[in-house]
Structure formats: C-alpha cells, structure tokens
Amino acid sequence: MQGALTRYRIIAYIVGVVLIVLVLVGMPLKYLGDNDTVVATVGPAHGFLFILYVLATFDLGRRVRWPLTRMLLVMLAGTIPFLSFWAERKVSRNWIGTHSEKSDSATEGHALNS
C-alpha cells in the first residue's frame, strides 16, 4: 500500500506543477501574447498526466477503501491549480496518521505478549 501512496504523491505533484505552468504561463501567453506554444506543448502533456493521476488516485482509493465521493473529490483536485498539492498533503497525513496508530497498537500488543 505504501507504493500506491508514493505513486499518488509523485503524480499529484507533477500534475500540480504542469497545471500551474499551463494556467499561469501558457494561458496568458496564448490570450494576451498571441503565442500558443506553451499551451500546445504543455496542454497534451497535462491531459496524459491527469489520466495517470486519476488512475493513481483510483488505485490508492481502492486499496484504502475510500468512499466513492472522496475518491472523486481527490480526482477533481487535479483540475484546479494548487489544489492537488493541498489534497496530496491531506491524503498523506491521513494515511500516515491511520497507519501509525495501527503500528503503535501492534507494537503495544507485541510488548504485552513478551
């Protein structure tokens, strides 16, 4: 399960950075400077990476048994600039908090059995 979280975290950062470049650099250049080079190159890359983001989110959500609504909200976070960073942080903290509690109780149980 750690691998699914790592894949999700990496793709969330990549999608977030590419979306910021597309929206804050590419779109102004296209509409204010009549230069669509950045949009033409970064746009398709973002589309492909967003599909990977959705797949990684689905994989992680399935493994940790998220409700469908939570999974969809995390997926949608990749469509709004800066929100994928916030969602990744929230997901990671939740996952770490949940799994550290399980490991603490397992350690306590092992200490009691010794």
Side-chain angles (χ1 to χ4, degrees), residues 7 40 59 84 87 108 113:
R7 284 188 298 275
D59 181 43
S84 66
E108 290 171 7
N113 292 334

Side-chain angles (χ1 to χ4, degrees), residues 86-105:
W86 179 81
E88 181 277 326
R89 197 75 226 138
K90 193 134 173 103
V91 166
S92 295
R93 284 187 180 167
N94 183 284
W95 192 89
I96 291 168
T98 302
H99 286 78
S100 68
E101 290 173 7
K102 288 181 183 177
S103 66
D104 289 346
S105 63

Side-chain angles (χ1 to χ4, degrees), residues 19-41:
L19 182 60
I20 288 169
V21 168
L22 184 63
V23 171
L24 298 181
V25 177
M27 299 302 274
L29 280 174
K30 179 177 180 175
Y31 293 108
L32 298 176
D34 290 328
N35 182 351
D36 68 343
T37 306
V38 175
V39 171
T41 55

Side-chain angles (χ1 to χ4, degrees), residues 46-82:
H46 171 69
F48 175 73
L49 292 169
F50 182 72
I51 291 169
L52 295 180
Y53 173 79
V54 168
L55 292 173
T57 303
F58 177 78
D59 181 43
L60 179 63
R62 184 184 52 84
R63 290 173 190 258
V64 297
R65 296 188 171 110
W66 284 343
L68 182 60
T69 53
R70 181 175 183 181
M71 194 183 303
L72 291 174
L73 287 173
V74 174
M75 287 176 183
L76 286 174
T79 64
I80 300 170
F82 300 103

Side-chain angles (χ1 to χ4, degrees), residues 7-18:
R7 284 188 298 275
Y8 165 75
R9 292 183 74 186
I10 290 169
I11 196 67
Y13 275 106
I14 293 170
V15 165
V17 168
V18 171

